[in-house]
Amino acid sequence: MTCRTLDDFYHIDASTLEKQYKDVLSGYRTWEELSHADDWLVFPDNIGPNLAIDETSLSNGNLYTIVTNRDRHCREMCLVAIVAGVKSETVIAALRHIPEDLLDRVEEVTLALSDSMRKIVRSCFRKASRVIDRFHIQKLACDAVQEMRIKLRWDAIQEANEEMEEAKLNGELYLPVRYENGDSKKELLARSRYLLFKSS
C-alpha cells in the first residue's frame, strides 16, 4: 500500500507522510549502512554453502553484481551482497566486509563465463569450487550449432546455384532434390533454425 492510497482513504497529506516515514519512522537517517548503501551492501547472515554470482541491470542501465544464496531459492534471506558495477576490484573490496571464516564455508559458486566473475570467486571464495551457469553453456552450444547451420546453408545455396547453372547450360529444367517433407536442402536449412532446439 502506498502513501498515495492512504491519502485517498484517510485524507492525510501523502507527501508529508512519505517524508516523515523516511526521515523518522523508518530509521533510514540513522541506518548504519547509509554511508555506503549506494555503492554496496552485504548481508553476512545470509551466506550459505552454495552461492551464485551474476550481473544484472536494475534501473537506468546501471549494472550491479549480485551474490545470492542458492539454497534459499530467491526467497527471504537470499541476498548475500549487491555491489554497484561489475569491476572485480570493487566487488572484491565489498565482499571483504564479510568475515573470512564465513567466506571459507562456501563450497560452490555458480557464475557466468566472465573473467571478472572468475577473479572475484577465486579471490573471495578460495575454498569453493566454481560451476559455470548452465544458461551460458547452452548459449555457447546454440551459437555453435547456428554457426554450423549457416555455413551448411551457404554451401547448399552455392550447390543449388551450380546445379541451376549446369541445368541451364544443358538446356534442362532445374528440379532440386526434395526430401520427404517437400523441402529442398537449402529450404530445410533455412527453416531449421528453431527445429534444431526443440525437445522431442
Side-chain angles (χ1 to χ4, degrees), residues 14 29 86-87 92 101 106 166 183-184 190 194:
R29 298 290 177 205
V86 293
K87 287 180 68 176
I92 290 168
D101 65 312
V106 177
E166 189 177 326
D183 285 344
S184 68
Y194 300 106

Side-chain angles (χ1 to χ4, degrees), residues 15-81:
S15 299
T16 304
L17 179 60
E18 283 176 355
K19 189 170 178 10
Q20 288 296 321
Y21 180 78
K22 183 175 181 181
D23 292 341
V24 181
L25 298 172
S26 70
Y28 175 74
R29 298 290 177 205
T30 58
W31 185 32
E32 293 175 6
E33 312 283 338
L34 183 60
S35 61
H36 58 79
D38 285 340
D39 300 320
W40 58 270
L41 287 171
V42 294
F43 305 95
D45 294 341
N46 297 351
I47 207 161
N50 300 303
L51 301 182
I53 183 169
D54 207 352
E55 59 190 44
T56 189
S57 176
L58 294 179
S59 62
N60 301 326
N62 297 330
L63 287 175
Y64 292 86
T65 302
I66 296 179
V67 181
T68 56
N69 183 335
R70 284 188 24 238
D71 297 331
R72 303 278 186 183
H73 304 288
C74 297
R75 289 195 286 270
E76 191 176 339
M77 296 182 72
C78 172
L79 187 63
V80 174

